[in-house]
Amino acid sequence: MKLKKILIVLFLCLMQVYADAVVPGDDYLIDDNAITTYIYSKEYTPMIKGLKTYETKVLDALSKEYGYTFDETLYVMLASRNNQITNASSTQIPFNAQLHYGAGAGGGGLSGTIGWMKMLLIHETAHNFQLNAKENPLSGVAHDIFGASFLTVLGVIPLFPLPNYYLGRFLLEGNAVLNESRFGLGGRLYSSAIIAQNVVLARAGKLTPERVYNNILEYPYTSQFYHVGGLFQAYLAERYGVEKVNGFYKEHSKHYLPLMINSSFKSYFGEDLETHIDTFVHKLLDKHKDFQKSHGEKILHAESAVRMQRNGGIIDIMSSDFRSAPLHLQLKNDATVLAKESTTYPMGSIFRVEGKDYVQSTESVSSKRIVKGLYDEEAKLLAKSDSKIVQGVMPDGRLVYVNVDDSYERWHLHVGNTFYSVIDSEALVMPTGDLYYFKQKGKMCTAYKNHQVLFSYEGYYGIVCDVDSKGRLYFIASSKDGSALYRYSAKGIERVGKGDDIIDMKLLEDENVLVSTVDAEGVTYLKQKIEVSTASIPSIHYTFKNIVENDMQIDSFTNVSHDNNKIKNVKEYHPMKELRYSTFIPRLGYNSDDGLIAGGVVQLTDPLGYNTLDIPFHIENDYKMLGAVYENSSEVLTYRLGVFGIFDANKTLGYRDYGLTASVTYPFWEEGYETATATLRYDEPYDKETQKPISLLLHWDESKQYGFSMYPNDAQSIDVSLVGDRGTSTLGLGYTFWHDFGNESYVRVNAEYFKSSDYNTTEERGITIARRKNDYAYNPATLEIYGLQNDTFVDEAIKAELGLYKVFNFSKYFFSFPLSLQRESLYAKARYYRLGQEGTHNDYTEFVLGSQIDVLLYHELSIPLTMEWIHNENAYEKESVRFGFGFSF
């Protein structure tokens, strides 16, 4: 058994880019300014001036509290309406930027938020202030030289160009939630569902430092960074003041080694982070010691669920375990199960339209559009729901929906083709055609039936649920200790049940209700008897400082005059013209065969990530390489060009003086779970001096991978390749199949066949049987067999593989130690190869036993470590061990 080619990385730089951040084919404008540059599609023109005015006020307010101004331009980017994702992101890599998707307002009553776009601007700008700080001189110099990266190792000296990237999302997202909740817009700190979730997790002992600080693959998954982290930051702000809390991020960036979060916290706050988390949990439990858990007949438990919907006489529930296909449960009005089955629907609330079930979701309908709407079991869009967030169906069949195109700030409700009202919660559509919803004005939340005011209370949290035969409205709002169910009638407001953990509800027969409750493992559905008591709805208050609301008043961005001709620097956005330096990644290593290896890549990109220019270089004993690789994805047809110069090469190893690669890719089909692409390539690989393959690749796949599943749950793909090389033509066919057969056990089948018109090993023509593949030039007529001594060429090749995989979820998380264990898998593969040369065939049988272990580096970065034992009796190396670190080496 022999271990070959272990690469010791001495120069290391990990990076992230905005690759494929927005769909291609849209035109953008750029308002270029040294301080803040705005990039947006043309449909945002009516609101851009108001948005700029608001963002300027946010920047001014937060700059004072975080204690510094940016040392580089901030890019605020508004993706086109063809990117209907209810989200935004903030980053320092490749640039100091924030990206807002064109999805319209989101969250509804559960988020406790109004003014969606304003809240996102505040949240993402807080991230920019957290991460841009680099107060120690070494970080500043490293950022100037090496660009946007969170680690560069120079020899044996680590440098941290962006030191605060090591703080972890618990401190980053939590602080952003704190700040989003201070501008008079509500925010997640005012969501009683989130407070209830924190209490049940604390009671179960699940708010320990090692759990809340790590990217755990258990409930509540990444939502804990926002939900638990937000309340933790509120605790800090009430104890120390907002200025002190926000000032921590500048202070932490002064540390040359920004890895010791505990000591950084202790030097700044007087107590370490672990102690603060423990104190926070004790205070939370003490404050909510009267929290009541709901009781009743258990109907279903799930790790995730969406809002229940009543369709006719059926209650539809969609739930998920984040590992396998969603579960669709149908209940009668007495809570007996009508149907319960796994489904291929995307996750979303179920609506019955014209006799067929659809779910409200966001999916790709083409390579140019990601849209909200109603989707069927094949994830295909119902055309009339395009760009709509459906709330229900009127008795005459008209859809009731939030229109994405005019709901970027607040939800605009439509009935059919007619605008109905601005709303701030999901709407309830009754069989009678009556509409119920909440609207927010200042701190007051007001319930409506159609256009009639029903009642108001102070708060930002409200969810309409159901109406009984007497016209009494059931809704969810805050309780003193969490989230409770209430009923409104002519008598006023009454509380239904005693539970402080209720987040959804539907009426059942015989004075019963079906409630969805939050617990320490997810969501539980309970059948309960209706018990009513008099109650008032308490409001949530914090003692930390808020931004003075009058200083931030803009009722609507569109109310501000908007003449682009008066904005001096607005121009068309041309991706190639906007290329700019982002990162330099140096590398130095040692290879047992080749000795010292040096190299790296300089990367230029544009803020939208539409095009990149990589300048790689490589130095080792056998050759030196300098290249340039340009890739453009601004249109549906993407292309890539690469040129490499080779110097001081060992000609006996087959190096030529240059290398070329060029490709164009067209995604000619993308709908539902299916995609299909065509790629035309030409290569002159620098390590194959005679090869000049031109190839056409056709690829089709249908893939379903749910939640955090380690492997595809159900997938299949077909590949067809045609390769021509100096008079030799080769046909390639490939098929891959994945299937999940329960309990995170998977099977994979792969078959490949190649047939060439000729072969010549000396001239390197035919089908390549390679020890390893070239990173920059790719010949699809290639099979890789790891144990070979040298590359060889054949005129016919067959590969068949059967793999069995089993995932285990043993985890061990640490707070102070930089590595944690997330999960692991064991797998076995059997491979058969038949290689032919002029009618003579050689057979190879290969067996692989392997393991993948997902480890967390510094609480955030999930890295798959793999180890494989490979046995191939006919190979040069009959037995070998292969290691992988995110990739094979």
Side-chain angles (χ1 to χ4, degrees):
M1 190 177 295
K2 186 177 179 182
L3 186 61
K4 289 278 288 182
K5 298 209 172 199
I6 299 297
L7 180 64
I8 303 172
V9 178
L10 299 180
F11 275 138
L12 174 66
C13 178
L14 301 172
M15 66 176 298
Q16 301 167 338
V17 295
Y18 264 140
D20 302 319
V22 295
V23 299
D26 289 320
D27 295 326
Y28 285 85
L29 300 171
I30 180 169
D31 179 3
D32 207 348
N33 187 287
I35 299 174
T36 308
T37 290
Y38 294 85
I39 300 170
Y40 55 95
S41 57
K42 294 179 180 179
E43 62 261 45
Y44 294 102
T45 298
M47 69 164 59
I48 193 63
K49 192 169 183 180
L51 186 147
K52 288 176 62 179
T53 301
Y54 193 82
E55 174 68 358
T56 299
K57 291 185 176 184
V58 172
L59 286 166
D60 290 344
L62 293 183
S63 177
K64 294 173 185 175
E65 295 179 349
Y66 284 96
Y68 77 102
T69 56
F70 297 136
D71 61 355
E72 57 186 310
T73 301
L74 171 66
Y75 295 93
V76 178
M77 300 181 288
L78 308 176
S80 77
R81 299 293 195 200
N82 291 322
N83 301 265
Q84 293 178 18
I85 304 167
T86 307
N87 206 350
S89 62
S90 175
T91 188
Q92 296 296 305
I93 303 173
F95 307 113
N96 181 26
Q98 52 185 260
L99 174 63
H100 300 267
Y101 290 102
L110 276 171
S111 68
T113 297
I114 59 171
W116 178 252
M117 179 60 195
K118 296 174 189 174
M119 189 209 76
L120 287 180
L121 283 170
I122 299 162
H123 186 101
E124 305 306 335
T125 302
H127 282 321
N128 291 113
F129 276 107
Q130 297 160 357
L131 295 171
N132 187 255
K134 47 187 98 67
E135 291 295 311
N136 75 80
L138 281 177
S139 290
V141 172
H143 189 271
D144 290 341
I145 296 173
F146 298 107
S149 62
F150 53 88
L151 173 64
T152 295
V153 181
L154 187 59
V156 294
I157 302 173
L159 298 174
F160 302 91
L162 296 167
N164 284 358
Y165 259 75
Y166 291 86
L167 282 173
R169 278 185 288 171
F170 177 71
L171 293 177
L172 298 174
E173 297 296 353
N175 179 257
V177 168
L178 166 67
N179 283 287
E180 81 184 29
S181 305
R182 300 176 49 236
F183 284 73
L185 303 171
R188 276 166 279 197
L189 290 184
Y190 293 91
S191 169
S192 297
I194 290 174
I195 293 172
Q197 183 189 56
N198 272 263
V199 174
V200 296
L201 289 169
R203 284 189 167 190
K206 292 191 173 183
L207 296 188
T208 60
E210 59 270 17
R211 282 184 61 87
V212 301
Y213 206 74
N214 279 293
N215 182 13
I216 62 173
L217 290 181
E218 303 169 34
Y219 179 83
Y221 299 93
T222 56
S223 70
Q224 70 174 357
F225 298 134
Y226 303 82
H227 299 173
V228 183
L231 285 183
F232 175 73
Q233 291 279 327
Y235 146 78
L236 289 178
E238 292 193 316
R239 181 172 174 179
Y240 298 106
V242 172
E243 291 87 350
K244 178 76 171 178
V245 173
N246 284 348
F248 168 75
Y249 297 87
K250 176 183 177 181
E251 185 67 24
H252 180 73
S253 74
K254 294 179 180 178
H255 294 266
Y256 164 67
L257 285 173
L259 310 178
M260 309 302 180
I261 312 302
N262 247 349
S263 62
S264 180
F265 238 70
K266 186 171 184 177
S267 66
Y268 187 75
F269 289 109
E271 294 177 347
D272 63 28
L273 179 55
E274 285 181 283
T275 301
H276 275 98
I277 293 173
D278 288 341
T279 303
F280 156 69
V281 172
H282 282 106
K283 285 184 175 293
L284 179 73
L285 289 173
D286 183 62
K287 180 179 180 180
H288 299 289
K289 59 181 178 294
D290 297 326
F291 181 95
Q292 294 291 311
K293 180 181 178 181
S294 294
H295 298 281
E297 178 187 347
K298 183 178 175 181
I299 303 299
L300 173 72
H301 182 270
E303 291 196 9
S304 174
V306 295
R307 293 291 309 279
M308 294 184 279
Q309 297 295 332
R310 190 189 305 276
N311 294 290
I314 297 172
I315 298 172
D316 286 291
I317 301 173
M318 187 78 81
S319 65
S320 170
D321 62 2
F322 286 111
R323 298 292 194 281
S324 57
L327 180 71
H328 181 194
L329 177 67
Q330 293 186 315
L331 301 176
K332 297 179 182 178
N333 283 330
D334 60 359
T336 57
V337 176
L338 183 65
K340 184 178 181 180
E341 60 183 2
S342 295
T343 179
T344 60
Y345 282 100
M347 275 294 287
S349 292
I350 299 174
F351 296 95
R352 196 153 294 123
V353 180
E354 298 172 354
K356 183 176 180 180
D357 286 348
Y358 297 89
V359 300
Q360 178 64 44
S361 187
T362 303
E363 307 293 333
S364 294
V365 296
S366 73
S367 57
K368 296 181 66 173
R369 298 189 71 222
I370 302 171
V371 301
K372 290 185 177 295
L374 295 177
Y375 289 85
D376 65 14
E377 64 274 16
E378 297 300 322
K380 294 181 179 179
L381 178 69
L382 176 66
K384 70 178 183 178
S385 71
D386 191 321
S387 301
K388 296 176 174 63
I389 306 170
V390 174
Q391 307 292 292
V393 183
M394 294 294 276
D396 60 5
R398 289 177 297 163
L399 293 181
V400 179
Y401 61 92
V402 173
N403 187 41
V404 169
D405 289 342
D406 55 9
S407 296
Y408 205 72
E409 298 180 69
R410 295 173 71 186
W411 275 6
H412 285 61
L413 186 68
H414 292 247
V415 177
N417 297 321
T418 304
F419 170 73
Y420 189 83
S421 179
V422 173
I423 64 174
D424 294 299
S425 73
E426 293 184 354
L428 174 66
V429 183
M430 295 302 295
T432 58
D434 291 317
L435 305 180
Y436 294 82
Y437 52 90
F438 282 107
K439 294 179 72 169
Q440 194 79 29
K441 185 172 183 180
K443 296 180 180 179
M444 299 305 295
C445 187
T446 301
Y448 284 77
K449 175 185 178 181
N450 301 319
H451 293 290
Q452 174 191 352
V453 173
L454 297 179
F455 60 90
S456 298
Y457 59 89
E458 183 179 334
Y460 298 91
Y461 177 75
I463 304 165
V464 290
C465 295
D466 214 338
V467 178
D468 65 18
S469 59
K470 297 180 181 179
R472 295 176 294 193
L473 172 65
Y474 291 74
F475 66 99
I476 291 170
S478 299
S479 65
K480 182 177 75 70
D481 293 299
S483 178
L485 179 62
Y486 295 88
R487 180 171 79 182
Y488 170 78
S489 67
K491 297 179 181 179
I493 295 174
E494 302 169 301
R495 182 162 175 176
V496 180
K498 297 179 180 179
D500 294 304
D501 52 2
I502 300 173
I503 58 173
D504 197 8
M505 169 270 178
K506 288 295 175 191
L507 284 165
L508 299 173
E509 295 175 352
D510 302 322
E511 291 294 304
N512 288 293
V513 292
L514 177 66
V515 294
S516 171
T517 65
V518 62
D519 59 41
E521 284 78 39
V523 179
T524 299
Y525 292 82
L526 301 172
K527 179 181 178 180
Q528 295 180 331
K529 274 286 185 185
I530 294 178
E531 298 176 357
V532 178
S533 59
T534 59
S536 59
I537 300 173
S539 58
I540 298 171
H541 293 282
Y542 296 96
T543 61
F544 53 72
K545 174 187 172 183
N546 284 323
I547 302 298
V548 179
E549 295 175 33
N550 290 337
D551 289 346
M552 301 301 298
Q553 283 302 315
I554 296 177
D555 290 337
S556 172
F557 294 146
T558 55
N559 290 342
V560 179
S561 61
H562 55 274
D563 185 352
N564 264 348
N565 295 324
K566 295 180 181 179
I567 304 177
K568 295 180 180 179
N569 299 317
V570 173
K571 59 184 179 181
E572 297 285 337
Y573 183 90
H574 298 288
M576 193 175 295
K577 291 182 180 179
E578 300 303 328
L579 274 174
R580 55 205 68 190
Y581 171 66
S582 67
T583 310
F584 168 41
I585 310 172
R587 288 191 295 266
L588 182 66
Y590 179 80
N591 180 300
S592 59
D593 286 350
D594 303 318
L596 189 67
I597 301 171
V601 60
V602 175
Q603 184 171 74
L604 291 80
T605 188
D606 69 291
L608 282 174
Y610 268 154
N611 65 158
T612 59
L613 176 62
D614 288 348
I615 304 173
F617 64 94
H618 186 89
I619 301 170
E620 64 172 87
N621 290 337
D622 292 331
Y623 73 100
K624 299 178 179 63
M625 181 269 287
L626 176 65
V629 181
Y630 177 77
E631 187 165 359
N632 190 300
S633 59
S634 60
E635 300 296 335
V636 175
L637 183 71
T638 65
Y639 61 91
R640 182 174 184 264
L641 302 170
V643 180
F644 308 91
I646 307 300
F647 311 96
D648 300 330
N650 183 346
K651 296 293 186 179
T652 62
L653 297 178
Y655 290 99
R656 52 163 50 106
D657 294 332
Y658 65 92
L660 296 174
T661 181
S663 66
V664 292
T665 299
Y666 182 71
F668 59 89
W669 179 261
E670 184 172 345
E671 185 180 19
Y673 298 115
E674 297 181 57
T675 60
T677 59
T679 300
L680 182 65
R681 295 184 61 117
Y682 176 75
D683 292 284
E684 293 189 29
Y686 58 75
D687 60 347
K688 296 285 188 295
E689 63 180 338
T690 59
Q691 286 190 356
K692 298 181 179 181
I694 184 170
S695 58
L696 173 65
L697 293 84
L698 302 176
H699 172 83
W700 170 87
D701 70 69
E702 181 182 34
S703 180
K704 306 177 188 74
Q705 186 165 347
Y706 302 107
F708 296 98
S709 177
M710 184 180 279
Y711 302 108
N713 297 89
D714 276 291
Q716 56 181 333
S717 64
I718 297 173
D719 292 281
V720 179
S721 62
L722 297 170
V723 182
D725 182 12
R726 294 160 294 155
T728 299
S729 57
T730 303
L731 169 68
L733 302 172
Y735 176 76
T736 301
F737 170 81
W738 281 93
H739 181 65
D740 163 17
F741 50 89
N743 297 315
E744 295 187 77
S745 300
Y746 307 81
V747 61
R748 179 181 185 269
V749 177
N750 171 252
E752 296 179 60
Y753 175 76
F754 296 95
K755 179 62 179 175
S756 182
S757 62
D758 192 11
Y759 85 98
N760 188 301
T761 298
T762 303
E763 298 178 0
E764 298 181 321
R765 285 189 292 108
I767 304 158
T768 306
I769 310 300
R771 297 176 301 149
R772 58 179 179 177
K773 295 181 180 180
N774 186 307
D775 291 337
Y776 284 102
Y778 171 64
N779 183 346
T782 302
L783 279 181
E784 185 179 38
I785 301 180
Y786 183 68
L788 296 180
Q789 182 178 16
N790 298 299
D791 293 356
T792 188
F793 294 82
V794 299
D795 59 14
E796 187 175 32
I798 297 172
K799 175 191 173 184
E801 176 180 316
L802 173 66
L804 298 175
Y805 301 75
K806 171 59 183 170
V807 177
F808 301 90
N809 288 297
F810 175 77
S811 60
K812 185 65 176 178
Y813 296 101
F814 300 94
F815 178 76
S816 298
F817 191 65
L819 292 176
S820 292
L821 177 64
Q822 271 190 319
R823 61 178 171 182
E824 51 285 316
S825 72
L826 296 175
Y827 53 86
K829 304 176 188 178
R831 295 179 181 135
Y832 168 76
Y833 301 92
R834 168 164 281 200
L835 309 180
Q837 294 177 327
E838 297 179 342
T840 301
H841 295 91
N842 292 311
D843 294 335
Y844 295 80
T845 302
E846 186 172 85
F847 298 98
V848 180
L849 292 177
S851 175
Q852 177 175 315
I853 301 174
D854 288 356
V855 299
L856 272 182
L857 176 63
Y858 283 105
H859 316 288
E860 287 291 340
L861 185 62
S862 182
I863 300 174
L865 303 178
T866 59
M867 183 178 72
E868 293 184 342
W869 171 79
I870 304 170
H871 177 81
N872 189 327
E873 189 64 32
N874 304 106
Y876 174 72
E877 292 184 64
K878 292 180 172 53
E879 291 187 348
S880 57
V881 176
R882 190 177 191 181
F883 293 90
F885 177 76
F887 51 89
S888 296
F889 62 82

